[in-house]
Amino acid sequence: MKKHFDGFSVLNTSFLILVSLICVLPLIHIIAVSFSSSTAAATGQVKLWPVDFTLASYNYTASRAAFWQSMLVSLKRIAIGTPLNLLLTILVAYPLSKSTGSFRLRVVYAWIFFMTMLFHGGLIPWYSTIKQYNLLDTIWALVLPGAVPVFSVVLLLNFFREVPKELEEAAFIDGASHWTTLWNIYVPVSKPALATLALFSMVDHWNSWFDGLLLMGDPRHYPLQSYIQTIVIQQNLSNMSRDEALNLALISDRTLKASQIFLGSLPIIAAYPFLQKYFVKGIVLGSVKG
């Protein structure tokens, strides 16, 4: 029995290491390319370590005002979108976590929200609705359409169901309302789940690029991932100054794209370790109803 257990541990550990390498190695390669010379990158010499180390690509990226403008838009999107997602998720999940006896229409509303996970109205109605409300080319077009993440609602309502009922009953005996109970009892004990949902929301807002391309008519209003997507698909060299042209001569298309992809990923990579300790606990407690 002991040999079987040891063999399984070795196999499981090896498999997890392999999966981790599959996830990490592409990023390491991108970083190596971004710090390599244009010749080394163009001739395929770069693997997992920079060849002819240079900061030319980063210097060029830092000189582009459009890059920093798009990063500012993404930061603004996260600053507005993440708190809004959490607020609406809490307000929706709390009543849906109650029994049918406490909230008679709970099943009806639960199905209304759940159906949005299965069916979508289509791209054209979605775009037309946003246009009808005059949200095009504004930060609200990036935030409001996805303000209620239903998957997060499902996780949080299951988490709320795990909160001991005695806490809620004691609050009601003391004269607390549902509003007071929600913010003074449920929210404080749900920090692991809320931290997990905040991470989901941040990553979703940061990585979204398709809505930015469709809803932003002015490229100056692109979020960072939409800007990087336009760079990856087709590099725009218009309106380039003489100094930028000289810097561009020192880099290649591959090193430029690699540097901007890495810089675009860096904020989320930096934020993740601070929320990681809540991640596993929040997922487990929010996805299983015991």
Side-chain angles (χ1 to χ4, degrees), residues 55-78:
L55 295 175
S57 295
Y58 290 93
N59 292 334
Y60 177 79
T61 298
S63 68
R64 299 290 288 175
F67 177 84
W68 300 109
Q69 177 66 31
S70 62
M71 179 171 286
L72 181 61
V73 173
S74 286
L75 293 176
K76 186 186 300 184
R77 177 176 185 171
I78 288 179

Side-chain angles (χ1 to χ4, degrees), residues 97-236:
S97 67
K98 302 304 177 185
S99 64
T100 306
S102 301
F103 182 27
R104 295 177 58 185
L105 296 178
R106 184 190 71 84
V107 176
V108 176
Y109 283 104
W111 272 105
I112 291 175
F113 283 101
F114 179 69
M115 292 294 286
T116 63
M117 298 179 64
L118 302 178
F119 304 100
H120 192 275
L123 185 61
I124 295 177
W126 172 77
Y127 180 86
S128 299
T129 301
I130 297 173
K131 181 179 180 181
Q132 188 68 28
Y133 284 99
N134 297 319
L135 298 178
L136 293 180
D137 224 25
T138 68
I139 190 66
W140 299 108
L142 305 175
V143 172
L144 292 182
V148 183
V150 180
F151 179 71
S152 297
V153 171
V154 173
L155 290 180
L156 190 59
L157 73 86
N158 284 325
F159 193 97
F160 282 166
R161 288 176 180 175
E162 296 294 328
V163 176
K165 296 299 180 184
E166 292 78 8
L167 294 176
E168 183 180 41
E169 292 171 356
F172 287 155
I173 292 174
D174 291 338
S177 63
H178 279 289
W179 188 260
T180 302
T181 303
L182 170 61
W183 295 108
N184 291 344
I185 295 179
Y186 278 85
V187 171
V189 302
S190 303
K191 289 181 179 179
L194 294 177
T196 302
L197 299 183
L199 180 61
F200 282 168
S201 180
M202 290 171 58
V203 172
D204 183 60
H205 282 296
W206 188 263
N207 289 336
S208 294
W209 60 269
F210 186 66
D211 54 353
L213 291 179
L214 288 181
L215 304 176
M216 300 293 110
D218 190 341
R220 293 177 300 176
H221 298 159
Y222 280 170
L224 182 60
Q225 301 305 325
S226 298
Y227 170 78
I228 291 178
Q229 200 273 345
T230 61
I231 293 296
V232 171
I233 297 300
Q234 181 178 5
Q235 186 177 345
N236 183 10

